[in-house]
């Protein structure tokens, strides 16, 4: 979207214009209609732009799965769930957040990729912030930050001959509501967690958000108009209707096999329902961004009828080429993880059990069989020990026979594996470094999936291969347990399945 030299842009005999408005408060249910109105305004060749403030809601990314990204136990009955047209992560928004919605004719940036569009808009907004004495930089893939703390995010999608851009500008952040709404914030809902989460945001509103907005909105519009060499016109916001909640928020049928992969662009999920060894139906979702709204749906359709052993090739052949922060190769690897899980399920004898086992291969070159044959240590979480056990917050277990952790210790020790109870995050770091120093390349860990997704960098840093068995029961991240954690009374106990651990270890024995 380079600036045209010389004269203003014209369409016929009139100058092209950035038409913009402010919307005091938009009912979340009217967002779809609002996006439609903005897109319609841009169909004449002008740019349409609005700054909307939404009532409190869970704002889903276009491709996101509400069951995976939202805490349904809190959201359902408390907050409307609204799906925006752009992809990216799901968010909690309220009137402290401004949603900038803009539609730009594609002809103004005909060859820009999704990434280039987002960089262009993100840098323009960050530069405008700086001109208003608000420190900010654009941080790939799509955030506006100050010293690593988030001030906003940018999302985009192509809609026919227009580009729809949506930017979240954080004037004020209700940390507690955000953490109750979104399933995978980095911190826990404890007093310390809230404090830590607050450190990750740098709201731009200060003590006078209205005054900041009054300066910032026209400055962003002016910067965009200057970049596009267009006129500016302030106009009334469009009238909107409140629509029904999106059907996609009702959840999806349970898959026969699934896999997930964390990428810089967000977590990707592949769910497959099988018909024998072939794909009956596939679903690809996640808090990710693709250039077109139908990209992941078309990709999933292309997998129907494909044999599992051809899944990776099929996904590589049909993968969209314009995405943000994830690649065709990531999608291919996601397919391979899914097939690996299916094979593991067959070897375990109960396919559903494999859904609770996840592999991590630092170079993506090891499957379950390779990792199982190489397991050199067993790591267990303290939360699976009974709250009354004096060993709960200590490493070790005398195998008193009163809980499944003792059984896990026995299974590990009888194979000569060093067994460690991880008591806190820093302890995990230390243990991983020790394993590495001892020449151990792979470990078997028991933890919740949320922990694996949030703290994956600990494993990436350690460079060790790993197999993870998911725990059940109350976890730190289930809302009820977190609320008691907030009061300093966390006594929840996660459930370790020694039967599954035994069967997984036996598969390794047989190699
Ligand atoms: S088996 Fe170990 S962890 Fe479980 S109650 Fe006994 S001592 Fe505690
Ligand atoms: S619930 Fe998850 S994050 Fe919490 S202690 Fe257990 S494994 Fe760790």
């Amino acid at each position: 979207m380079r600036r045209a030299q010389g004269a203003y842009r014209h369409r016929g005999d009139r100058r092209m214009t950035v038409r913009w408005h402010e919307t005091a408060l938009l009912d979340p249910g009217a967002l779809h209609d609002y996006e439609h109105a903005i897109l319609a305004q841009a169909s004449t060749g002008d740019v349409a732009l609005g700054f909307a403030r939404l009532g409190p809601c869970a704002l889903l990314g276009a491709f996101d799965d509400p069951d995976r990204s939202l805490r349904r136990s809190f959201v359902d009955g408390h907050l409307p769930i609204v799906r925006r047209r752009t992809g990216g992560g799901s968010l909690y928004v309220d009137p402290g957040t401004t949603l900038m919605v803009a539609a730009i004719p594609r002809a103004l940036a005909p060859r820009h990729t999704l990434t280039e569009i987002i960089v262009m808009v993100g840098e323009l907004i960050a530069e405008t912030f700086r001109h208003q004495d608000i420190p900010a930089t654009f941080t790939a893939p799509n955030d506006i930050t100050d010293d690593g703390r988030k001030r906003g995010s940018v999302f985009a999608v192509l809609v026919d001959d227009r580009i729809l851009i949506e930017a979240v500008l954080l004037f004020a952040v209700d940390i507690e509501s955000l953490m109750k709404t979104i399933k995978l914030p980095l911190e826990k809902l404890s007093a310390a967690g809230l404090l830590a989460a607050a450190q990750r945001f740098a709201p731009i509103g200060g003590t006078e958000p209205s005054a900041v907005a009054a300066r910032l909105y026209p400055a962003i519009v002016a910067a965009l108009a200057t970049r596009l060499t267009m006129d500016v016109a302030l106009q009334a916001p469009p009238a909107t209707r409140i629509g029904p909640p999106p059907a996609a928020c009702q959840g999806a049928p349970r898959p026969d096999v699934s896999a997930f992969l964390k990428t810089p662009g967000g977590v990707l999920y592949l769910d497959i329902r099988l018909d024998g060894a072939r794909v009956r139906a596939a679903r690809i979702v996640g808090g990710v961004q693709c250039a077109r709204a139908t990209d992941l749906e078309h990709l999933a359709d292309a997998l129907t009828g494909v044999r599992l052993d051809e899944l990776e090739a099929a996904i590589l052949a049909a993968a969209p080429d314009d995405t943000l922060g994830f690649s065709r190769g990531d999608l291919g690897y996601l397919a391979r993880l899914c097939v690996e899980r299916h094979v593991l399920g067959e070897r375990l004898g109960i396919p559903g059990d494999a859904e609770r086992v996840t592999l991590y291969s630092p170079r993506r070159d090891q499957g379950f069989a390779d990792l199982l044959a190489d397991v050199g240590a067993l790591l267990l979480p303290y939360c699976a020990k009974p709250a009354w056990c004096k060993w709960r917050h200590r490493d070790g277990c005398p195998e008193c026979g009163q809980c499944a952790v003792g059984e896990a210790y026995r299974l590990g020790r009888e194979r000569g594996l060093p067994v460690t109870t991880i008591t806190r995050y820093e302890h995990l770091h230390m243990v991983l470094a020790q394993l590495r120093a001892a020449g151990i390349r792979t470990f078997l860990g028991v933890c919740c999936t949320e922990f694996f997704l949030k703290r994956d960098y600990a494993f990436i840093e350690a460079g060790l291969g790993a197999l993870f068995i998911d725990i059940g029961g109350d976890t730190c991240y289930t809302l009820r347990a977190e609320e008691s954690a907030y009061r300093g009374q966390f006594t929840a106990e996660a459930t370790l399945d020694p039967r599954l651990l035994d069967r997984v270890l036996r598969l390794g024995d047989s190699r």
Side-chain angles (χ1 to χ4, degrees), residues 165-186:
I165 293 160
E166 297 187 307
V168 165
L169 310 177
L170 301 172
F171 280 81
V173 182
D174 177 349
I175 298 287
E176 189 167 341
S177 297
L178 179 150
M179 293 181 70
K180 283 180 173 172
T181 303
I182 304 299
K183 225 177 199 173
L184 289 173
L186 280 173

Side-chain angles (χ1 to χ4, degrees), residues 223-406:
L224 184 65
T226 303
R227 179 71 57 91
L228 298 173
T229 55
M230 287 182 157
D231 280 345
V232 170
L234 182 63
Q235 59 186 32
T240 49
R241 283 175 296 113
I242 298 172
C249 293
Q250 308 309 325
R254 203 181 169 80
D256 295 314
V257 59
S258 69
F260 61 84
L261 180 67
K262 191 171 177 185
T263 72
V267 183
L268 278 164
Y269 297 90
L270 171 59
D271 294 338
I272 288 192
R273 283 162 61 219
L274 288 168
D275 188 357
R278 289 186 184 273
V279 175
R280 174 148 51 110
R283 180 171 174 258
I284 303 165
V285 290
V288 294
Q289 298 201 54
C290 298
R292 288 163 208 81
T294 50
D295 278 346
L296 294 185
E297 207 179 308
H298 287 167
L299 178 58
D301 288 348
L303 304 181
T304 305
V306 167
R307 285 168 51 96
L308 274 183
D309 56 4
E310 294 166 350
L311 190 67
E312 186 175 350
I315 214 167
L316 286 171
D321 53 8
D322 194 3
T323 55
L324 182 81
F326 70 96
S327 64
R328 184 180 294 258
D330 289 327
L331 286 163
Y333 187 54
L334 181 68
R336 206 186 318 156
L337 290 174
C338 212
V339 175
E340 278 286 331
R341 265 232 176 112
H342 179 69
V343 173
L344 179 74
E346 290 192 325
R347 292 186 62 202
L348 285 171
I350 306 176
D353 277 359
E355 291 293 301
R356 291 191 283 148
V357 189
T358 298
L359 74 78
Y360 173 69
S361 168
R363 288 176 301 283
R364 296 187 174 181
D365 56 353
Q366 294 163 294
F368 278 112
D370 308 309
L371 292 167
L372 275 167
D374 199 34
V375 167
L378 176 60
L379 307 188
L380 303 171
Y382 80 90
C383 63
K385 289 179 170 174
W388 49 261
C389 173
K390 69 177 183 183
W391 291 91
R392 180 166 163 106
H393 296 286
R394 283 199 255 164
D395 184 17
C397 162
E399 298 177 38
C400 78
Q402 294 194 65
C403 87
V405 172

